[in-house]
Structure formats: C-alpha cells, structure tokens
Amino acid sequence: MTGHAFQVLLGDDELRAALGAVRAALTDGGQFGFETRDPLARAWESWTTETPVEVAAGAAASMRMTRQVRSVDGEIVVFTSTFDIPRGSALRHSDSTLRFLGADRPDVFLAGAGPAVDERYGDRAGGPPGEGSPEIITVARRTPA
C-alpha cells in the first residue's frame, strides 16, 4: 500500500476493516507493506504556499503544487493541495484529510487483525525508524492461524 494511502483510513473501524481484508487475502507467510509519514517529523508544518513542489517531466507535463493546512486536530490533518499546470489551465484544488498515526499505533490494529510486524524502516532507503525519520514503513506477515 504505497503513496501514504494507509493515512486516508481515518477511523479505527476503517483501519480494522482494511487490515481484516488484508489478512483474509494473505496466505500464511504472505506479507503486507505500507508506509505512513512519521508524525514526529511534523511534515504538515512545511505544507505552505511558500514551499511549492515542482514536477517537471518535459514542457507539456510540468506542474507546481502547493499545500495549505486548514486544521490539525490530534492525529488528523486537513489540507488543500493546489495544482498549477502551465499553458493557461485553471488552478485545480484538492481537499484531503490524513491520519498521522504514531509508530506504535499501527501495531495495535495489526495485532487485532492478525498480521505480525516483520520489519520496520524509517525511510525508503531502509534506514532505521525513529526520531528524525520521515516515514514509518511497516512490513507485516500473516502467521499461521
């Protein structure tokens, strides 16, 4: 589950249902990997109109994205992304809500669903998790029933 998709599961019941479906789909020994942004890194604090993300894939595909946080309430961050695509296109806006679970919180939901944590990383290069790492990358394995 890539692209921080795990973070769009906002409620506890949604998380339990998704992880239950994952467990049902896995064979014994099968693995499930997902990543979330580490809330200790507080990534949303840099999501401002002053910190755009530029994407260039040739002149026809370049784009500029900015994000503006609208609210932070505990684990929940609500924000708007604005996409500026050159060549006269109107600005496009996307409203999003993400849940920033701490490192130990997914483990609680995984334990209830069945897959056990096999590995954990703090970045996509395989670095250790912990303070200062931008990600919490978890690989869980279904154990025999």
Side-chain angles (χ1 to χ4, degrees):
M1 181 180 273
T2 62
H4 303 109
F6 192 80
Q7 288 185 261
V8 301
L9 301 170
L10 302 177
D12 291 358
D13 289 342
E14 285 178 278
L15 276 170
R16 286 186 194 100
L19 291 173
V22 166
R23 185 185 196 296
L26 289 175
T27 60
D28 286 345
Q31 292 182 304
F32 167 61
F34 62 93
E35 92 266 287
T36 64
R37 294 171 183 92
D38 190 333
L40 295 177
R42 304 180 66 83
W44 64 88
E45 290 179 349
S46 68
W47 295 353
T48 69
T49 56
E50 292 82 33
T51 56
V53 175
E54 303 282 343
V55 178
S62 65
M63 164 186 86
R64 180 179 181 192
M65 178 188 72
T66 58
R67 292 174 283 201
Q68 186 67 48
V69 174
R70 295 188 354 236
S71 67
V72 179
D73 184 10
E75 297 175 335
I76 304 296
V77 176
V78 179
F79 62 100
T80 299
S81 298
T82 300
F83 302 90
D84 184 2
I85 302 168
R87 298 189 180 196
S89 296
L91 294 177
R92 293 188 173 99
H93 305 279
S94 172
D95 295 323
S96 301
T97 303
L98 298 177
R99 186 174 185 183
F100 283 77
L101 290 172
D104 60 333
R105 298 276 289 135
D107 295 358
V108 172
F109 294 101
L110 284 166
V117 174
D118 201 18
E119 302 171 74
R120 180 152 292 135
Y121 307 101
D123 59 39
R124 290 186 175 102
E131 195 168 327
S133 65
E135 308 279 339
I136 302 169
I137 300 169
T138 303
V139 179
R141 180 180 307 275
R142 179 178 171 160
T143 55

